[in-house]
Amino acid sequence: MITIKENYCKGCGYCIIACPTKALKRSNKINSRGIEIPIVEEEKCNKCHICELSCPDFAINVEEE
Amino acid sequence: MISNDEIYEKYIRKGTMPTILCAGCGNGIVLNTTLRAIDELKKDIDKMVFVSGIGCSSRLSSYIKADGLHTTHGRPIAFATGIKAANPDLDIVVFTGDGDCAGIGGNHLIHGIRRNIDITVIVLNNYNYGMTGGQASPTTPLESLTTTTPYDSFEHPFDLSMLAMAAGAPFVARWTISHPVQLVKSIKKGLQVKGFSFIEVLTPCPTSYWRRNRIRDYEGIYRWYKENTVNVKRAESEPDKICIGELQNIQKKEWTEQWKELVERVSK
Amino acid sequence: MDAYDILGPSEQYIQGDKACVYGALIAGCRFFAGYPITPATEIAEEMSRFLPKLGGTYIQMEDEIASMGAIIGASWTGKKTMTATSGPGFSLMQENIGYAVMTETPCVIVDVQRGGPSTGQPTMSSQGDVMQARYGSHGDYEIIALCPSSVQETLELTIRAFNLSEKYRVPVILMMDESIGHMREKITIPKDVLIANRSTVDISYAYYRPFRTGYMHATKIPEFAPFGSGYKTFITGLTHDEDGFPTTVNPKAHSDLIKRLSEKITDNIDDIFYVNNKHLEYAEIAVISYGISARPSLAAVNMAQKLEKNVAFINLNTLWPFNYEFISELSKQVEKIIVVEMNMGLMYHSIREAAEGRCDVVLVSSLGGRVPTPKDIVEMIK
Ligand SMILES: Cc1ncc(C[n+]2csc(CCOP(=O)(O)OP(=O)(O)O)c2C)c(N)n1
Ligand code: SF4
Ligand code: SF4
Ligand code: SF4
């Protein structure tokens, strides 16, 4: 499961560009600060955790089932 | 692998998130990767001190739930030297910016390396003075626009890693925020080296630097760091690119070890 | 090993610079960082010889900015730390001295004064830095500065400098001068001296707030948790709250902090301020001096006493904090205050301010390294 803490995310998109399988995408989901939160296509994710390492704000979490 | 939630719980000071850093600022990635390196080495965080100077990059020390010393502009290596020399049991990480480390603090950098005091210096090189709004720094690339080089910059920039290598730092590595996995590995190595470790991270300042220098979207910025760098192993094939990787790893006697030997010798 | 084991016989004939080192080691100083400069170099040299024998640490830094940074960093490991310099180096130290004030870091800075401004007169005596000791760093603050006028006093005031620094968690400046630093005199190494140590934290991490005061002790001085002790202390030179966290745009947080930093000194002026007086009781004239110029001042007062003049001698061993009340009371008693100093009149201004026109305040100034003579002063008494 990939979760993004909407109140921490600054919408930089580094997770999107860092993801090797293109499992993350831009969305039109906007948080309370007007920031665009990425969305996930879980089935594409291979749990490599690169998105977690690339997040400057500790917002994205990859949980292994 | 530890999750961001777990890092947050374990290492981040309550009430300090979100950081004061801009959206797209790479500094948070350096904080993230540093904490992962510490966690993977199972370091006792209560025996570590995070020292920093002044600048956006130097703010990182304040977010970590550990002893921290946010010093004066350019001087963190001098303060860190005092801490380490007075109590060699503590592990010291210095967060510093290109302006902090190579501008106002350049003298402390080369002398810290010369002494070979056992500290791990992580330089966040964002090509400009971010905190003060984007003035030219000692690493601003030629022909860049900054608020103080409005007609483009002509002063020759420092290559910080080359400087550290030439000064004789036992461990030197350079990565970018687009190489987080490799960066974690090098920070781990740097923390394990007994001696001065120098880790340069090329990190974006979208607000002050990139906004004035062609790239305005975060993805383009992230990609720039991938596309304009080449691993040291393949550097010869692409000489125009910035060389990254583990650049130096040599053995050298360390200051606190030498001091300890001296104390044993003279107090007999 | 103990300092007394390596300092040698209890009576010795030594220079002021060396006496300063003796005082520091007796007070418990175990970390010195410095950069060579005349006339303070001997302090670094002696420290480099003695400290390893005591298991302490000596480090020669790349400049005085780094020296000041190193002693602050080292102080946060719980050690008593010191640096020594002269005018040009003292100028370089000022930003980090302000940092030590703001972060309440105990440390001792020795300034063996020489003629300035700039490189000035490296080997000549001066008292030109006394205002720099008080106001050298930017912003509002109080600081403690002590001033010895003999080699024995140098030893004793160095111990006192450490004690005050530990007690009030403030940098303390020992204002020596070239004459005192290089002069040789007989000293007696005091035994059973009182040694103060900073008050350390005695509550658990969950309740500890590094810059809260008045919680465990009824003082304005917070408890100290050295690095490595598990209290996860964050220290910054930015305006901070009780947790040590930056709060830089809140006017109240800033004014509360700098008022506390000042009041922890000024509220305790009776404990900190220490002067050496003679013949004060019936005096109609007072000669105030400090450092090397206190010596001809005392000689002049003794000469005047023989001429049946009611003249008092006041040696300002504590330059800062300035005791306005003491001078104010004095100005009600005497007709004239004669200030003797080796500058163009620096303490003279504060003394005049405190006297508020109630008596004459005159200056005997001597420049260029020339120590004033008793004759210069007696002339003003007549
Ligand atoms: C002695 C001194 N000079 C100038 C400043 C102002 N100042 C604050 S941060 C900064 C630049 C920081 O640049 P850098 O170290 O590259 O860090 P960045 O903000 O880019 O991360 C400057 C010049 C200061 N705080 N102190
Ligand atoms: S864990 Fe790897 S594959 Fe999955 S979303 Fe993150 S970066 Fe993409
Ligand atoms: S990297 Fe982090 S902050 Fe940036 S968009 Fe992704 S989740 Fe949000
Ligand atoms: S100004 Fe630049 S360096 Fe500072 S927080 Fe913003 S992006 Fe980061």
Side-chain angles (χ1 to χ4, degrees), chain B residues 13 16 46-47 59 61-62 66-70 72 75 78-79 82-83 85-86 90 108 111 115 255 259 262-263 266, chain C residues 52 56-63 65-66 69-70 73-74 77 79 96 99 227-228 230 232-236 238 245:
Chain B
R13 226 175 250 282
T16 59
D46 283 341
K47 294 288 169 210
R59 276 303 186 99
S61 60
S62 68
D67 290 330
L69 194 66
H70 181 230
T72 45
R75 320 299 172 193
F79 282 75
I83 301 170
L90 299 174
H108 310 304
H111 286 280
R115 258 178 222 115
W255 196 94
W259 182 258
L262 184 145
V263 166
V266 302
Chain C
T57 312
Y58 166 87
I59 187 163
Q60 181 166 316
M61 297 302 289
E62 51 275 18
D63 58 32
I65 301 174
T77 70
K79 290 230 166 113
N96 283 344
Y99 181 87
F227 285 165
K232 307 178 198 298
T233 311
F234 180 69
I235 310 298
T236 177
L238 289 170
F245 235 73

Side-chain angles (χ1 to χ4, degrees), chain A residues 2 15-16 18-24 40-42 44-52 54 60-62:
Chain A
I2 306 240
C15 53
I16 301 175
C19 174
T21 66
K22 300 196 167 33
L24 292 156
V40 200
E41 287 178 62
E42 294 280 351
K44 284 197 190 163
C45 170
N46 68 7
K47 307 273 185 283
C48 72
H49 294 267
I50 302 236
C51 54
E52 272 197 299
S54 306
I60 191 163
N61 272 282
V62 184

Side-chain angles (χ1 to χ4, degrees), chain B residues 54-57 73 97-100 104 126 128-132, chain C residues 95:
Chain B
I54 297 292
C56 299
S57 35
H73 189 30
D98 44 305
D100 199 64
I104 189 165
N126 61 11
N128 81 139
Y129 288 158
M131 178 156 269
T132 41
Chain C
E95 187 192 7

